[in-house]
């Protein structure tokens, strides 16, 4: 058995075990940091996105727009999405959620396309979403709450990585998850 120690600026992580088949990969730690952090999705404005040159926003659902088991987005999120669209920001849901009916419902209520079971941080879902939007990676951002799926996937694909505080604080594993994410919670260019 050979044990290899990663370089100081990398981290050995299981890149979304279910999607990657439990392949352990070496990931540069800079890819785990968001570009910007917001308290909630409602704090992300068209003006803030415009200053980054973003014209398309990919959206995570669980923990970002709504709690994990919410059947549809809250009215405030629907109004927020309408405001972004009125200001020229295209929206697209990119979710690892495995329930197509739930993701479809979010897409219908937010008036945008969607991909369920996207297998973030894999690049394929990001590429499909960008193709659907007709957008280059440098003109897009992903809004999510997870470091090892949302931030890593967005940065790997050249998108702006925007993190919000997770709405899923009541889950039994939240404290453990937060412990592992703590070094990567702050923005890094």
């Amino acid at each position: 058995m050979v044990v290899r120690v990663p370089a100081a600026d990398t981290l050995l992580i299981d890149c979304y075990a279910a999607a990657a088949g439990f392949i352990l990969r070496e990931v540069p730690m800079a890819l785990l940091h968001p570009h910007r952090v917001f308290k909630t999705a409602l704090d992300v404005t068209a003006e803030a996105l415009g200053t980054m040159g973003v014209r398309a926003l990919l959206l995570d659902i669980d923990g970002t727009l709504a709690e994990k088991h919410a059947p549809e987005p809250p009215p405030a999120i629907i109004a927020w999405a309408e405001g972004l669209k009125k200001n020229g920001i295209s929206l697209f849901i990119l979710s690892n959620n495995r329930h197509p009916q739930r993701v479809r419902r979010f897409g219908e209520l937010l008036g945008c396309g969607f991909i369920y079971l996207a297998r973030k941080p894999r690049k394929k879902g990001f590429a499909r979403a960008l193709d659907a939007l007709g957008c280059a990676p440098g003109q897009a951002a992903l809004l999510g709450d997870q470091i090892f799926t949302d931030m890593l996937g967005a940065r790997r694909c050249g998108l702006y990585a925007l993190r919000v505080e997770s709405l899923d604080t009541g889950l039994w594993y939240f404290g453990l998850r937060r412990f592992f994410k703590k070094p990567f919670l702050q923005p890094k260019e």
Side-chain angles (χ1 to χ4, degrees):
M1 179 174 171
V2 176
V3 176
R4 185 174 54 79
V5 177
D9 63 344
T10 62
L11 177 69
L12 285 176
I13 65 166
D14 179 354
C15 286
Y16 198 65
F22 296 98
I23 298 170
L24 199 62
R25 298 185 182 184
E26 193 170 313
V27 175
M29 290 197 303
L31 293 181
L32 300 174
H33 287 274
H35 286 99
R36 298 230 3 227
V37 176
F38 298 89
K39 181 130 178 86
T40 71
L42 300 175
D43 296 324
V44 179
T45 64
E47 294 78 24
L49 295 172
T51 62
M52 293 182 269
V54 169
R55 64 179 195 87
L57 184 61
L58 307 184
L59 303 166
D60 175 54
I61 292 178
D62 297 326
T64 302
L65 300 180
E67 291 180 358
K68 187 173 179 75
H69 299 292
E72 53 189 44
I77 290 292
I78 296 171
W80 167 80
E82 286 301 317
L84 288 178
K85 291 189 297 186
K86 285 180 184 172
N87 283 290
I89 304 295
S90 299
L91 302 177
F92 196 95
I93 295 172
L94 188 65
S95 177
N96 283 350
N97 192 291
R98 60 190 165 109
H99 302 289
Q101 309 89 332
R102 181 165 178 262
V103 179
R104 180 179 294 112
R105 181 71 177 149
F106 272 73
E108 289 169 353
L109 291 172
L110 298 180
C112 65
F114 65 90
I115 295 174
Y116 73 98
L117 202 59
R119 297 184 172 176
K120 296 176 285 183
R122 286 185 165 186
K123 293 180 179 182
K124 187 176 180 179
F126 287 91
R128 286 177 50 207
L130 291 174
D131 284 347
L133 293 167
C135 185
Q139 300 172 314
L142 176 107
L143 181 65
D145 66 320
Q146 296 298 310
I147 299 296
F148 299 110
T149 55
D150 301 326
M151 301 305 106
L152 176 59
R155 281 191 168 260
R156 286 182 70 217
C157 295
L159 281 70
Y160 287 96
L162 310 178
R163 188 180 68 76
V164 295
E165 297 293 324
S166 181
L167 298 173
D168 288 330
T169 58
L171 300 174
W172 67 268
Y173 52 83
F174 182 79
L176 181 63
R177 187 171 68 186
R178 180 123 176 121
F179 173 78
F180 285 108
K181 292 184 343 182
K182 192 170 184 170
F184 309 106
L185 294 178
Q186 295 307 311
K188 187 174 188 176
E189 287 301 320

